[in-house]
Amino acid sequence: MNITSFNITDDIIRYVIKKDNGFEVSILNLGCIIEKIMYGGQNMVLSYSDYSCYYNNPAYIGAIIGRTSGRIKNATFNIGNNKYFLDKNDKDMFANLILLTGGGYNGLHNKIFKGSIIENGVKLEYYDVDESKYPAKVLFTVIYTVLEDKDSLKMEYYGKSDKLTYINLTNHTYFNLSGLKENATKHFIKINADNYMYLANDMVSEKLEKVDNTVFDFREGKYLDADLAKKNEQFDISYYFDHPFSLNKKNKEYDVLLRSDISNVSMKIKTNQRAVVMYLGNFLHEVKAVDGVLENERHLGVALETQDYPNGINLGEDFYNLTDENKPYYSCTELIFEKDNKNQ
C-alpha cells in the first residue's frame, strides 16, 4: 500500500491511496471529496481534475454532506423546546437538486479538513463551532481506508459534540462503473429494501411505503432504465429516482449491488446505516461537464447515499437519532469492487 499527498494550493491537499494491484483512491481535504476510485484501469466515479469545479457545485459531486443530508421540511426542526432554522433551497436555480436544507450554504462540502496519513488510509478532521443553524460544537472525523484483502474503500464518519444535536452525514459521489462508456441508466442494481420513502410535492421525505408492485421494488434487481418511460406521480416531482430506501438488512453480504455489463464490474455497498438515497443524476446535465465528456448527460452517474432517514427528525422518534457528548455519531459504509459477478 502506497499513500502520498500533494499540495494543490496552500490549503487544499490531494491524498492518493494506491495498492500494488492498481486499485487507487484519490481524496481531497476539501469537503472530504472522493475524487477518483480507479479499478481495472478505469475511474468508477464522476470527477473533475480541476479542484475549483468542486466549490459550490450544485451537484455536490464527491463531497460529504452535513451536518445533515437531504431536505428537511420547511428547513426547520425542533430539539426539545428549541426550534432551529436552516438554509432554504434556492428556488431559482437547480431547485430539485440542491440539498441546502440539510447541508446549507456553509455545509461541510465546502470546508477544508485537516488531513493526515494513517495506516492504509487518510484521516480528515474539521471542528465545526458554528452554532448559527445547528446546536453544539462538533468535531467531525472522516476516515477513508483501503483494505488489503479486497478492492474496497471503507468510509467512516465520526461526530463528537459538546451537547445534544442532530447529525446525519452522507457522501454524494456519483458512480458510473462503465468508465463513461454508457449512461448510468444502463447499470443493473439491487437494493435490499422492502420500503421506500414517499416524497411530498416539495421533494421532502414524507412517509414509508411498501415497494411491492411499484417501480421502487429493486429486491430482485433490474436495470435502471426499466422504468424510464413509465408514468409515475413521484417522477412528476423528482424527474425519476431521487428517493430514500429503507434497508431491510436481510442480506449479510451487501445492502446494494450495482453493476455495469460493459465493464463487467460490480460494486457492493455494505453499511451500518438504515437508508440509502438513490439519486439518478436527474439534473447532471445542468452542471459543469465532468472529466471525460464534453457535456454531462442526464443520468450520467448514480449517487447512492447511505445515511439515516432524510427529514427523519420531523417524522417521529423511530426515524432519527440524536447525539451528545455521551453518544457520539458514527457511520460506516464500505464500497467493494469486483469483476465477473453477474449472478449475485
Side-chain angles (χ1 to χ4, degrees):
M1 192 87 65
N2 183 42
I3 307 175
T4 53
S5 63
F6 307 89
N7 274 82
I8 301 175
T9 69
D10 289 342
D11 298 319
I12 297 176
I13 301 171
R14 174 183 292 123
Y15 295 90
V16 180
I17 311 166
K18 189 172 184 179
K19 292 174 65 173
D20 293 341
N21 67 357
F23 183 75
E24 178 181 316
V25 179
S26 296
I27 305 295
L28 298 180
N29 68 329
L30 168 64
C32 300
I33 287 167
I34 296 175
E35 193 180 30
K36 291 182 180 180
I37 300 178
M38 301 297 296
Y39 178 71
Q42 296 186 125
N43 190 5
M44 300 286 103
V45 305
L46 303 190
S47 300
Y48 294 112
S49 53
D50 179 357
Y51 78 92
S52 67
C53 296
Y54 290 106
Y55 272 119
N56 296 312
N57 189 299
Y60 290 75
I61 292 176
I64 192 171
I65 306 296
R67 291 187 184 189
T68 65
S69 51
R71 300 169 183 87
I72 293 179
K73 189 71 175 180
N74 296 323
T76 64
F77 66 92
N78 295 326
I79 296 180
N81 296 322
N82 296 315
K83 189 169 187 175
Y84 298 92
F85 298 87
L86 308 179
D87 294 330
K88 293 185 177 181
N89 282 1
D90 184 344
K91 294 298 183 183
D92 299 320
M93 185 178 183
F94 307 112
N96 289 295
L97 182 61
I98 298 180
L99 305 175
L100 289 182
T101 52
Y105 292 100
N106 201 31
L108 297 178
H109 60 288
N110 277 334
K111 300 300 185 185
I112 304 294
F113 284 65
K114 180 182 178 181
S116 58
I117 294 173
I118 60 174
E119 184 177 2
N120 294 344
V122 176
K123 180 169 76 171
L124 301 145
E125 292 184 310
Y126 180 77
Y127 187 41
D128 186 5
V129 298
D130 183 4
E131 297 183 77
S132 61
K133 304 293 182 182
Y134 290 89
K137 298 177 177 67
V138 181
L139 174 62
F140 289 102
T141 303
V142 175
I143 295 179
Y144 293 126
T145 51
V146 171
L147 302 190
E148 292 276 12
D149 60 341
K150 51 188 172 180
D151 292 327
S152 72
L153 172 64
K154 188 176 183 180
M155 307 181 293
E156 295 176 281
Y157 307 144
Y158 301 82
K160 186 176 182 181
S161 66
D162 64 348
K163 59 185 176 183
L164 195 65
T165 192
Y166 181 43
I167 300 172
N168 184 18
L169 303 181
T170 195
N171 177 275
H172 214 269
T173 292
Y174 292 80
F175 299 97
N176 186 311
L177 307 185
S178 73
L180 297 180
K181 294 182 177 66
E182 67 180 2
N183 189 289
T185 57
K186 300 299 182 183
H187 285 26
F188 176 89
I189 192 167
K190 289 179 71 175
I191 304 176
N192 297 320
D194 300 323
N195 298 277
Y196 76 99
M197 297 205 81
Y198 183 91
L199 303 181
N201 288 336
D202 56 4
M203 288 286 292
V204 175
S205 300
E206 186 175 73
K207 59 184 176 180
L208 281 178
E209 296 277 12
K210 295 287 188 184
V211 302
D212 303 70
N213 303 312
T214 73
V215 297
F216 299 97
D217 191 351
F218 289 92
R219 290 173 295 186
E220 297 301 318
K222 59 182 174 178
Y223 289 90
L224 281 167
D225 61 0
D227 305 299
L228 199 55
K230 291 182 179 178
K231 295 290 185 182
N232 185 284
E233 63 172 5
Q234 285 285 280
F235 295 165
D236 292 339
I237 300 167
S238 61
Y239 296 87
Y240 211 36
F241 291 107
D242 189 1
H243 292 75
F245 292 80
S246 180
L247 299 168
N248 60 31
K249 302 298 179 179
K250 293 176 182 177
N251 186 317
K252 301 304 181 185
E253 187 180 357
Y254 61 82
D255 296 296
V256 181
L257 170 73
L258 184 69
R259 188 186 74 236
S260 166
D261 289 346
I262 284 185
S263 65
N264 217 13
V265 171
S266 296
M267 180 181 72
K268 295 174 181 174
I269 301 177
K270 186 66 179 173
T271 184
N272 72 340
Q273 295 297 282
R274 294 193 288 180
V276 61
V277 175
M278 180 171 71
Y279 171 57
L280 199 45
N282 304 332
F283 293 89
L284 279 173
H285 61 297
E286 297 186 15
V287 303
K288 183 177 177 60
V290 297
D291 291 356
V293 297
L294 294 177
E295 60 181 51
N296 297 338
E297 294 179 358
R298 190 189 289 266
H299 314 308
L300 182 64
V302 57
L304 295 163
E305 309 157 50
T306 54
Q307 58 188 264
D308 210 349
Y309 298 113
N311 192 43
I313 196 165
N314 291 319
L315 296 178
E317 61 182 14
D318 292 336
F319 291 89
Y320 73 99
N321 292 289
L322 296 178
T323 187
D324 61 24
E325 63 271 29
N326 297 315
K327 185 184 176 183
Y329 174 85
Y330 179 67
S331 170
C332 180
T333 297
E334 187 177 357
L335 310 176
I336 306 160
F337 295 86
E338 298 175 344
K339 278 271 194 179
D340 303 317
N341 284 321
K342 288 189 175 183
N343 298 312
Q344 297 291 335

